[in-house]
Amino acid sequence: MRIRSLGVIDDAVVELSPGFTAVTGETGAGKTMVVTSLGLLLGGRADPALVRIGAKAAVVEGRITVPDGASAAVRAEEAGAELDEGALLISRTVSAEGRSRAHLGGRSVPVGLLSELADDLVAVHGQTDQQGLLKPARQRGALDRYAGDAVTVPLAKYTAAYRRLRAVTTEVDEITTRARERAQEADLLRFGLDEVAGVEPRAGEDVELAAEAERLGHAEALASAATAAHAALAGNPEDPEGVDATTLVAGAHRALEAVRSHDAALAALAERIGEIGILLGDVAGELAGYADDLDADPLRLAAVEERRAALTQLTRKYGADIDAVLAWAEEGAARLTELEGDDDRLEELTAERDALRGELAGLAQVLTDARQEAASRFAAAVTEELASLAMPHARVTIDITATEVPEGADGVPVDGRLVAYGPTGVDEVELLLAPHPGAPPRPIAKGASGGELSRVMLAVEVVFAGTDPVPTYLFDEVDAGVGGKAAVEIGRRLARLAKSAQVVVVTHLPQVAAFADRQLLVEKTNDGSVTRSGVLVLEGEDRVRELSRMLAGQEDSETARAHAEELLATARGDG
């Protein structure tokens, strides 16, 4: 992370390595700004009071490696962010006036998106910021992973049955709530189909009748034109002196035929005139037949118009033409069959729904039993951890409950009760803490002070190590109010947690810092600010000197140096 103009920090870079990193420094040096900076990167509240006096804005930039296929990476890419070699670049700016801006992967994003990603990236445990396992949904998910196959196998079956039940229930509700609408739709379809069936239209019939009506309406004009054309082509028997086209063409053909042997060109023309004569004869014959066959019966015209009117009634209601009407009738018949089958379908779906609820009830009971068994083991393990973390009388339990719903409501029967259910079962899982004998168990967020809560969460994270998918843990004040052997145990457990995740701890205890794989020192300059050179990686003699200062307040105390070296040797021996 790079931090600029935030609190006492002027401009500093904090490089966090894999494993266990301890952040140390004198009181007021700015150690907690590391926690504050990370909180801003994860969508925390922007407080303008954090901006360094005299600066226009505080800026925190971070590069967070994201596991391949992690939901955080998918969500970021959906928002338009680009990953840089498997890492997300996050930037948060807070102005002195209180305005806040966020950037993710080079793209400006709402601050709320950073909060969404936080759950999958970092678990923060401190005096004021509590995330991760304090959320009941995360607690249930972590408990399921802790339980292993005893939960994951039946949960997969439960989830599949739950999804099918949701689909069946939705279809039942649709059929039931729309019963009246569907009945009305069926009645309208029956009426329309009966009307179409009564007329019995043929495909293309409306086009054929329109053409016939046009002919019948102009029968006299058509007959007169055909007769006149026939007379012009073939002659009129009542006018023997008249000249017709057939006679003239025949005369021309005879004239050429007489001399065709003398000239090939005239022979070709004679053949073409002969073809014309044949064509004229054919057309004249067809005209004669057309005139003879033309029906000028007014009764036929009336029948055609009556049929057209019946077809028009259909096209006004069911389609642009008769072909469209017939297509509507085919679709309507299929839809009517579907609607008329609703009663049978509803009966089938209701039976399937009842069977699925019974199946879910059985699987939910299996899940509850497995979770309760895992919860008992988990609670005992966390309570044992707390005994070594200066909380010898604290007791952690997991409360697994189900919400009862009234008869007739949507629920599944479990242990003789009708209870609410969801995609993960019927169980509501919550971690409870009784900090001392006689104290009632309360949710862990309410049952402990800030320092105690960090230790409780450390114990929880250690027990859950490897089952919770968050890749980074940050603890602030995890060692508040403890020292001596308890502090050593805290350091030992943080080192154990760091074997499966990245762990960052802000601490003032040398017993904790000694177990770190890497130690960072935050120190101020003479003007009271932390600059880029003010965050140092301590190694060798420098680390011994800092641990000596933390032990005795004196860097050069021989006794403190010996103790510091002993602490480091103990930590290395554990490793």
Side-chain angles (χ1 to χ4, degrees), residues 292-308:
D292 292 339
D293 294 340
L294 189 62
D295 187 358
D297 185 0
L299 294 179
R300 174 56 187 166
L301 178 59
V304 168
E305 293 296 353
E306 183 179 353
R307 179 64 176 173
R308 291 186 68 201

Side-chain angles (χ1 to χ4, degrees), residues 113-177:
L113 177 60
L114 301 186
S115 299
E116 288 183 37
L117 301 181
D119 287 347
D120 298 314
L121 295 176
V122 182
V124 180
H125 303 302
Q127 292 279 16
T128 57
D129 286 318
Q130 293 293 342
Q131 299 177 2
L133 286 173
L134 287 186
K135 298 181 178 180
R138 177 62 64 81
Q139 294 174 13
R140 193 268 314 149
L143 179 63
D144 287 354
R145 286 186 291 274
Y146 180 80
D149 289 346
V151 166
T152 55
V153 172
L155 181 58
K157 297 178 182 177
Y158 177 95
T159 301
Y162 175 83
R163 289 173 179 165
R164 176 57 188 162
L165 177 59
R166 291 291 88 197
V168 169
T169 301
T170 298
E171 191 171 352
V172 168
D173 291 343
E174 180 185 356
I175 292 176
T176 303
T177 57

Side-chain angles (χ1 to χ4, degrees), residues 408-433:
D410 185 18
V412 295
V414 177
D415 283 340
R417 299 182 303 150
L418 190 66
V419 298
Y421 64 100
T424 58
V426 300
D427 303 316
E428 298 172 13
V429 176
E430 189 164 31
L431 273 68
L432 304 178
L433 170 70

